[in-house]
Amino acid sequence: MKLFKKLAAAVLVAALALMMVGCGGSKTGLAQQVKNAVSDDAVMRNEQATNSKDLDALAAKLLTEYNNEIAALDEGADWPNLQDLLDDETFLQKFGIDPEKDAYKVSLVYVPSYISDTMNQFKPFSLADQLRRDADHTIGDPHIGRKFEFGLAIGTLDGENWVLMLMK
């Protein structure tokens, strides 16, 4: 019985450790893996991408507020156009963004749920590539050079997981 309790405690500690470093399938773990993949992808293109905690927080606020806009809609209504919101100064003022001074490229990508371990290994790299490629929304007039900062947030929009990335 003592061996069983020790084994159970060891398994619990190992599971908690795996969740803390991102191997437990959590959004936090996936977010860090995607951030690492974005940085690695930039290096492979001879660029430098630096994650910014301030931009992470701003991305989270934007994603939350976009979800609030969706939640306020009538059942079955189309989602508001993200670019229209990003062009709305009243919407941006909620976050302290002045489009005359602040400029960002914005990506919003759906996060599919992969079942196999092989696909889960591929997920962060796939999302990083999509986020970089699909940065077709803007705030202000951004010019992303070879060195850029980025922030990332994973959250729920209408019950599904999405990733929002800001670059400046």
Side-chain angles (χ1 to χ4, degrees):
M1 188 66 159
K2 281 186 176 182
L3 179 62
F4 177 73
K5 286 183 180 178
K6 287 182 180 178
L7 183 59
V11 168
L12 179 61
V13 169
L16 289 172
L18 287 174
M19 286 180 68
M20 289 173 65
V21 297
C23 298
S26 70
K27 289 180 187 176
T28 304
L30 178 60
Q32 188 57 53
Q33 291 173 354
V34 174
K35 290 174 188 177
N36 293 343
V38 168
S39 295
D40 289 348
D41 182 57
V43 168
M44 290 189 297
R45 288 190 323 276
N46 200 27
E47 297 177 353
Q48 181 181 347
T50 305
N51 178 240
S52 163
K53 297 297 180 195
D54 290 340
L55 289 180
D56 284 347
L58 183 56
K61 289 177 187 175
L62 283 170
L63 194 60
T64 299
E65 191 58 36
Y66 188 46
N67 188 53
N68 291 342
E69 294 283 333
I70 293 168
L73 296 172
D74 292 332
E75 184 73 28
D78 290 337
W79 287 7
N81 182 299
L82 179 58
Q83 187 60 57
D84 289 345
L85 290 174
L86 297 176
D87 290 337
D88 181 351
E89 287 188 32
T90 305
F91 179 78
L92 295 177
Q93 285 174 351
K94 295 177 186 180
F95 315 105
I97 297 174
D98 179 355
E100 297 295 321
K101 299 177 187 172
D102 304 315
Y104 305 95
K105 282 197 172 247
V106 182
S107 299
L108 183 65
V109 174
Y110 170 69
V111 181
S113 294
Y114 296 127
I115 296 172
S116 73
D117 287 340
T118 304
M119 287 304 291
N120 279 323
Q121 297 293 322
F122 180 68
K123 184 184 233 179
F125 299 103
S126 172
L127 288 172
D129 180 56
Q130 273 187 284
L131 288 163
R132 180 63 184 207
R133 225 177 341 118
D134 296 348
D136 51 0
H137 301 292
T138 59
I139 297 172
D141 187 22
H143 298 285
I144 306 301
R146 298 187 77 66
K147 290 183 178 182
F148 61 93
E149 291 181 64
F150 71 94
L152 186 128
I154 297 179
T156 304
L157 295 177
D158 201 23
E160 297 179 328
N161 289 329
W162 289 77
V163 178
L164 187 137
M165 184 171 80
L166 296 171
M167 292 182 287
K168 72 172 194 171

